[in-house]
């Protein structure tokens, strides 16, 4: 029995040793895997060690294989690092967008809480809000209410951005939602329609990141006209940036406790605000009414929608002008100069233009392009485009003509690009499209073609003869006289009856007005996609008719008076201030004389060109408020008017009699050839 137990113990010991040996082998194999070694690598390493030193070819072959393997591993490592960096950046961007969205939703929820805590005053003025998607909201407000009350109501919709802009129809002022004070402080004292323009997340972040916020909050007194709802209690805090800083930062930032805290940020007086749209204020008769909307009011809303939409497209333009965007312009050859620039491979229509006018001596005219030369150039170029040979018909109702050479050289596309650039960069509207061309370009039904649509007078006369023939023989004779033209259109047929004539006329007119220009129209529309013009107008064609169709509304003296803001910098009650006030009266009287034709050949269009570079107030508005300044005799300045079309400042001479003022204004405008320089 003892021998049996000894043998059994020995067997158990051997089994235990065997298991321990297998476990050690498994650990070695696992360690080899972790260190990146496999059997193939071990074999290759062994070959490197034990190859015959005399076998040079074998050494070279094995070394090459090893080098290739190492190069492949390095390439894979680099690709992995690049892919890892891309994934990290994508994840960072995803987190950033998520944080922005959470912050935006938090702001909207805070606005809801804020506006729910404020009762709507029964005797308040009705404010209507129109949103980019066409939605409408209304609420009563008192002029003495906080402006942020209005912001909270306007911005409590799902699509709202943290910061947005508000603007009255045809108003010269665009207001950011970060503004403080009361409604009256921001010019809202009567019922009106406010148009809302949301900002993208990047635009909001850019405003916030470029802001310098003051260190301490400044409390604003609550409205005294009515009391908010007792629950929850509300406090309002405003923060103002340093005087030189741009507009800043988030608007609503509630405390976590039940009382709601709203933070508003307002620019200092000298702070730049998002580019406003400047156009004349409406007359009292144009003031909106709200129950129901009148046709005139709808027209006003359409006009503002156009300005807001064009301003959105203009926001695409980069403020730096690349070298390829310099256009050297010789007057009366604006189209040829523009075509050379647009044909450059590196020309970028979404970047700022650099316009240099060349005089007869071959030198630049000396105007640095800060906007004035661009507006002047776009106005002159639009005149050349209106008379270009790819169009035909009356000057006010141009249709697309067929020019095979222009089609071959992509001229239709270039003209479409130029129209887009003139509209967005310079604010110059075409105002020469015919109704049919507008419908063809922007996707509206064109309607059946008529003989009056045929621009070619010779062909029109022949078609009229066919159409007015009383007998079949007369109709066949008229068709025979038109055989050459009908054959080119593929419409030469033998008339079987007078009823057959109707089919012939419909086919001919449809081909002439639609079919023959299909390729040219496609190329022209391709050019109009520049800066998103085609897409924008196609989405709202009826609103944009006044931009592309002929507008017979004449420029009035009151339009210019309302457009320019007088900049009186002399001390109040001083003699200089009195002279400036008298000059303003002279200015208004003189504009009335110009409107009445008493200053021939000077017109109101000449006055506007002299001061701004444009002959009509642009649909997109001016980038800043045009101003009147004054030239005093004791300053040693000129007695003739001067203008800076870049900063939109018109300087009027002071200290003259009305007759002297009138003569000097007309002489100054008559002698100025460009950019308002007398």
């Amino acid at each position: 029995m003892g021998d049996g137990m000894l043998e059994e113990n020995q067997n158990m010991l051997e089994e235990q040793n065997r298991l321990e040996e297998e476990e050690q082998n498994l650990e070695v194999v696992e360690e080899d895997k972790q260190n990146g070694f496999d059997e193939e690598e071990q074999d290759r390493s062994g070959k490197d060690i034990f190859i015959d030193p005399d076998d040079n070819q074998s050494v070279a072959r094995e070394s090459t294989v090893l080098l290739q393997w190492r190069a492949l591993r390095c390439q894979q490592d680099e690709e992995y690092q690049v892919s890892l960096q891309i994934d990290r950046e994508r994840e960072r961007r995803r987190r950033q967008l998520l944080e922005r969205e959470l912050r935006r939703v938090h702001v909207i929820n805070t606005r809801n809480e804020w506006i729910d805590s404020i009762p709507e005053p029964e005797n308040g003025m009705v404010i209507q809000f129109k949103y980019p998607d066409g939605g409408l909201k209304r609420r009563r407000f008192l002029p003495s209410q906080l402006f942020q009350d209005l912001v909270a109501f306007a911005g409590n919709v799902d699509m709202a951005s943290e910061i947005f802009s508000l603007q009255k129809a045809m108003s010269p002022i665009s207001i950011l939602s970060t503004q403080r004070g009361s409604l009256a402080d921001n010019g809202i004292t009567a019922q009106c329609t406010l148009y809302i323009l949301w900002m993208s997340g990047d635009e909001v972040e850019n405003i916030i990141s470029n802001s310098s916020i003051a260190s301490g909050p400044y409390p604003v007194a609550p409205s005294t006209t009515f009391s908010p709802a007792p629950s929850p209690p509300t406090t309002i805090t405003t923060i103002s940036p340093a005087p030189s800083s741009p507009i800043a930062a988030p608007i609503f930032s509630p405390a976590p406790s039940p009382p709601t805290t709203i933070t508003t940020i307002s620019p200092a007086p000298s702070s730049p605000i998002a580019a406003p749209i400047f156009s004349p204020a409406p007359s009292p008769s144009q003031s909106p009414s709200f129950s129901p909307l009148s046709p005139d009011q709808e027209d006003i809303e359409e006009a503002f929608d156009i300005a807001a939409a064009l301003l959105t497209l203009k926001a695409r333009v980069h403020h730096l002008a690349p070298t390829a965007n310099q256009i050297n312009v010789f007057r009366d050859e604006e189209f040829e100069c523009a075509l050379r620039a647009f044909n450059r491979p590196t020309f970028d229509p979404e970047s700022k233009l650099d316009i240099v006018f060349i005089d007869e001596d071959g030198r630049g005219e000396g105007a640095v392009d800060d906007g004035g030369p661009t507006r002047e150039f776009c106005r002159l170029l639009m005149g050349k485009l209106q008379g270009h040979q790819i169009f035909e018909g009356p000057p006010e109702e141009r249709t697309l003509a067929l020019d095979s050479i222009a089609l071959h050289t992509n001229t239709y596309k270039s003209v479409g690009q130029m129209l887009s650039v003139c509209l967005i960069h310079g604010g110059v509207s075409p105002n020469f499209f015919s109704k049919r061309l507008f419908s063809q370009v922007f996707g509206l039904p064109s309607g059946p073609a008529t003989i009056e649509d045929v621009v070619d007078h010779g062909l029109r006369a022949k078609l009229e003869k066919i159409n007015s023939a009383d007998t079949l023989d007369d109709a066949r004779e008229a068709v025979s006289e038109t055989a050459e033209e009908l054959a080119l259109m593929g419409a030469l047929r033998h008339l079987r009856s007078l009823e057959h004539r109707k089919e012939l006329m419909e086919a001919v007119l449809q081909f002439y007005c639609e079919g023959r220009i299909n390729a040219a129209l496609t190329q022209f529309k391709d050019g109009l996609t520049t800066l998103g013009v085609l897409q924008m107008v196609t989405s709202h064609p009826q609103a944009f008719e006044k931009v592309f169709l002929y507008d017979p509304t004449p420029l009035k003296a009151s339009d210019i008076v309302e457009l320019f803001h007088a900049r009186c910098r002399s001390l109040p009650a001083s003699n200089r201030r009195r002279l400036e006030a008298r000059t303003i009266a002279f200015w208004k009287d003189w504009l009335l004389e110009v409107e009445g034709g008493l200053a021939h050949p000077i017109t109101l269009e000449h006055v506007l060109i002299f001061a701004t570079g444009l002959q009509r107030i642009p649909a997109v508005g001016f980038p800043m408020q045009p101003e009147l300044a004054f030239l005093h005799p004791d300053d040693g300045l000129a007695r003739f008017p001067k203008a800076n079309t870049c900063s939109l400042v018109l300087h009027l001479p002071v200290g003259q009699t009305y007759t002297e003022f009138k003569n000097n204004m007309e002489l100054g405008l008559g002698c100025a050839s460009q950019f308002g320089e007398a």
Side-chain angles (χ1 to χ4, degrees):
M1 181 178 296
D3 293 340
M5 292 180 62
L6 181 63
E7 183 177 0
E8 182 178 356
N9 291 337
Q10 186 175 358
N11 290 337
M12 292 176 62
L13 182 61
E14 289 177 355
E15 180 65 20
Q16 183 178 357
N17 291 336
R18 186 180 65 78
L19 292 174
E20 291 177 355
E21 183 177 355
E22 289 180 358
E23 185 176 353
Q24 291 175 355
N25 291 337
L26 288 174
E27 291 177 356
V28 170
V29 171
E30 188 67 19
E31 183 178 358
D32 289 343
K33 289 183 178 179
Q34 293 178 357
N35 293 331
F37 291 102
D38 54 17
E39 294 180 1
E40 181 179 350
E41 177 64 16
Q42 292 175 1
D43 293 340
R44 185 157 48 244
S45 300
K47 291 178 182 179
D48 289 340
I49 296 173
F50 298 107
I51 60 174
D52 186 351
D54 296 330
D55 192 353
N56 294 332
Q57 293 181 354
S58 177
V59 171
R61 183 170 59 255
E62 294 299 328
S63 298
T64 301
V65 171
L66 183 58
L67 290 174
Q68 291 176 347
W69 179 82
R70 289 175 177 171
L72 179 61
R73 287 294 301 272
C74 290
Q75 181 181 353
Q76 291 174 340
D77 290 342
E78 291 176 358
E79 291 176 351
Y80 171 76
Q81 292 298 328
V82 172
S83 176
L84 182 63
Q85 185 66 24
I86 292 175
D87 290 341
R88 287 174 178 172
E89 177 61 24
R90 187 176 297 152
E91 178 64 18
R92 184 197 67 80
R93 180 64 176 172
R94 187 191 68 80
R95 289 197 304 269
Q96 182 187 60
L97 293 177
L98 179 60
E99 291 172 359
R100 290 182 185 177
E101 180 62 17
L102 291 175
R103 192 177 66 195
R104 187 186 71 86
V105 172
H106 178 64
V107 167
I108 294 174
N109 292 336
T110 305
R111 289 171 181 161
N112 284 324
E113 296 175 4
W114 173 254
I115 198 62
D116 289 343
S117 69
I118 301 174
E120 181 177 359
E122 295 181 359
N123 60 340
M125 56 189 178
V126 178
I127 306 296
Q128 178 172 263
F129 303 88
K130 187 165 184 180
Y131 294 91
D133 62 357
L136 291 173
K137 289 176 61 177
R138 294 177 183 175
R139 183 181 169 97
R140 293 182 178 89
F141 293 91
L142 294 171
S144 56
Q145 273 188 254
L146 294 171
F147 180 71
Q148 287 301 317
D149 294 352
L150 183 145
V151 170
F153 178 77
N156 67 343
V157 296
D158 293 340
M159 297 303 296
S161 55
E162 289 181 68
I163 302 175
F164 56 92
S165 65
L166 310 92
Q167 187 164 352
K168 289 193 290 186
M170 305 300 291
S171 170
I173 299 175
S174 178
I175 312 171
L176 283 185
S177 60
T178 53
Q179 202 69 336
R180 62 179 179 179
S182 66
L183 272 67
D185 293 337
N186 290 280
I188 303 174
T189 57
Q191 64 178 16
C192 62
T193 298
L194 292 176
Y195 296 84
I196 309 300
L197 182 63
W198 306 129
M199 293 185 179
S200 67
D202 289 338
E203 289 174 325
V204 172
E205 290 299 318
N206 185 55
I207 292 175
I208 296 175
S209 62
N210 291 333
S211 302
S212 176
I213 304 175
S215 57
Y218 298 91
V220 174
S223 174
T224 58
T225 52
F226 64 94
S227 301
S231 177
T234 306
T235 59
I236 304 173
T237 303
T238 62
I239 298 176
S240 298
S244 60
S245 66
I247 192 74
I251 24 180
F252 293 103
S253 179
S257 58
T260 305
T261 301
I262 296 182
T263 302
T264 64
I265 298 169
S266 172
S270 61
S271 302
I273 302 178
I277 306 171
F278 291 105
S279 54
S283 61
S285 61
Q286 295 174 320
S287 298
S289 58
F290 295 92
S291 181
L293 293 177
S294 65
D296 292 341
Q297 185 179 351
E298 292 177 355
D299 290 343
I300 292 175
E301 293 181 351
E302 291 289 358
F304 178 79
D305 285 342
I306 294 171
L310 293 178
L311 190 63
T312 301
L313 298 184
K314 192 171 183 178
R316 299 186 181 188
V317 178
H318 307 301
H319 297 295
L320 296 178
T323 304
N325 276 31
Q326 184 180 97
I327 304 180
N328 298 295
V329 183
F330 187 75
R331 293 181 182 274
D332 294 330
E333 296 183 8
E334 291 83 7
F335 176 79
E336 291 77 10
C337 298
L339 189 62
R340 289 194 295 270
F342 276 65
N343 286 338
R344 294 174 192 147
T346 53
F347 178 82
D348 182 12
E350 294 195 357
S351 293
K352 183 177 179 291
L353 303 180
D354 182 16
I355 306 299
V356 179
F357 282 88
I358 306 300
D359 60 20
E360 295 180 355
D361 296 328
R363 297 191 297 268
E365 292 181 352
V368 177
D369 191 359
D370 286 331
T374 293
R375 286 191 291 271
E376 172 82 3
F377 168 71
C378 289
R379 176 180 63 83
L380 296 173
L381 177 59
M382 188 65 78
K384 296 296 183 182
L385 297 178
Q386 183 175 2
H388 197 276
Q389 63 189 18
I390 71 165
F391 299 109
E392 60 184 3
E396 299 83 10
E397 297 183 19
R398 304 287 274 170
T399 58
L400 211 59
L402 178 59
D403 187 324
S404 299
I405 297 177
L407 188 63
H408 176 71
T409 57
N410 280 333
T411 302
Y412 288 93
K413 180 178 180 179
S414 297
V415 171
Q417 289 176 327
M418 292 178 192
L419 284 171
S420 298
V421 167
C422 288
L423 178 61
I424 304 303
H425 284 254
V428 183
S429 301
N431 288 130
F432 62 77
F433 279 35
S434 68
K435 183 67 176 178
R436 176 171 294 278
L437 177 59
F438 183 82
S439 300
Q440 290 171 333
V441 173
F442 300 115
L444 295 176
S446 299
T450 64
I451 294 179
E452 287 71 23
D453 294 322
V454 179
V455 178
D456 186 328
H457 295 288
L459 178 60
R460 181 194 294 181
K462 293 180 179 180
L463 293 178
E464 287 176 344
K465 187 174 182 180
I466 297 175
N467 193 53
S468 61
D470 295 328
T471 65
L472 180 60
D473 289 339
D474 291 342
R476 286 173 176 172
E477 181 180 354
V479 168
S480 178
E481 294 175 359
T482 322
E484 183 177 352
E485 293 86 346
L486 296 178
L488 290 174
M489 297 184 211
L492 182 58
R493 296 288 186 275
H494 177 71
L495 292 182
R496 300 186 301 273
S497 65
L498 288 178
E499 288 73 17
H500 188 210
R501 173 183 61 185
K502 180 180 179 182
E503 297 177 2
L504 173 66
M505 292 296 297
E506 289 177 352
V508 169
L509 293 174
Q510 182 67 19
F511 176 81
Y512 181 88
C513 296
E514 303 283 346
R516 71 188 180 104
I517 62 169
N518 272 340
L521 182 63
T522 300
Q523 192 180 113
F524 184 58
K525 292 170 66 175
D526 187 22
L528 284 171
T529 60
T530 303
L531 289 163
V533 171
L534 181 70
Q535 296 87 335
M536 178 65 74
V537 181
T538 302
S539 301
H540 309 279
Q542 287 83 6
F544 278 90
E545 283 188 352
K546 60 188 67 178
V547 174
F548 287 86
L549 303 185
Y550 174 65
D551 184 6
T553 306
L555 186 64
K556 298 180 180 179
S558 58
D559 297 333
I560 299 181
V561 169
E562 293 169 354
L563 180 64
F564 284 86
H565 170 70
R567 186 172 66 187
C568 299
R569 294 187 174 179
S570 300
L571 294 176
S574 64
N575 289 332
R576 290 170 65 92
R577 174 63 70 87
R578 185 173 182 277
L579 290 174
E580 291 172 357
R582 188 177 70 162
T583 301
I584 294 175
F586 287 175
W587 157 254
K588 294 181 178 180
D589 287 340
W590 179 69
L591 289 176
L592 291 173
E593 290 194 16
V594 174
E595 180 180 350
L598 301 178
H600 184 77
I602 302 297
T603 65
L604 292 176
E605 285 75 15
H606 290 129
V607 177
L608 195 61
I609 290 172
F610 179 83
T612 68
L614 299 180
Q615 66 181 10
R616 297 182 67 90
I617 297 173
V620 71
F622 288 106
M624 60 195 72
Q625 174 78 60
E627 292 184 339
L628 293 177
F630 302 95
L631 303 173
H632 287 270
D634 54 0
D635 292 333
L637 300 175
R639 60 190 180 94
F640 297 105
K642 284 191 174 183
N644 187 322
T645 58
C646 294
S647 59
L648 298 174
V649 178
L650 174 61
H651 299 265
L652 301 178
V654 173
Q656 304 173 357
T657 65
Y658 178 73
T659 302
E660 292 173 333
F661 177 86
K662 168 183 167 65
N663 293 337
N664 289 335
M665 288 294 295
E666 294 171 7
L667 183 60
L669 266 68
C671 293
S673 57
Q674 65 271 344
F675 304 127
E677 293 294 333

